[in-house]
Amino acid sequence: ADFNDPELVKVVELDQACRQQQVGEGWFPSVESTPSHAVTLTVPAIMRAEVISAVVPDERKSEAVRATMKDEVSTACPATVMRNHASCHLW
């Protein structure tokens, strides 16, 4: 992720792990039926929001939540930048 991306929205290629996650969550019946690309908001687009409400509904994301809250703000864990937002809520 680029904290200074000039674009607000991008088309990104989904890697195998991301596509497998979509299958595991029940969104698609197989990796082959999972789209190879997706539309995503960039970090600057998210940070422009008046309020950010980040919902993490699954225990398997606990390491990502820990990193978001504890690691140094960096692109290694893009969600860390949300700590710089005046009104970000993590659920």
Side-chain angles (χ1 to χ4, degrees):
D2 179 354
F3 290 168
N4 299 305
D5 197 315
E7 301 294 327
L8 296 179
V9 178
K10 285 187 164 183
V11 174
V12 294
E13 185 172 356
L14 301 178
D15 63 19
Q16 191 70 13
C18 182
R19 293 174 76 196
Q20 184 60 53
Q21 179 180 337
Q22 299 298 308
V23 173
E25 291 177 354
W27 298 111
F28 297 92
S30 67
V31 172
E32 295 75 30
S33 64
T34 304
S36 61
H37 291 76
V39 177
T40 188
L41 292 175
T42 63
V43 173
I46 294 168
M47 293 299 285
R48 285 183 183 183
E50 188 174 324
V51 176
I52 298 173
S53 185
V55 180
V56 188
D58 197 310
E59 184 178 335
R60 66 192 152 88
K61 297 291 186 177
S62 61
E63 176 54 29
V65 171
R66 187 214 55 78
T68 298
M69 300 303 294
K70 301 289 184 180
D71 288 2
E72 178 181 334
V73 174
S74 77
T75 57
C77 179
T80 57
V81 77
M82 291 189 302
R83 295 197 323 250
N84 295 335
H85 194 281
S87 186
C88 180
H89 307 279
L90 183 59
W91 307 90

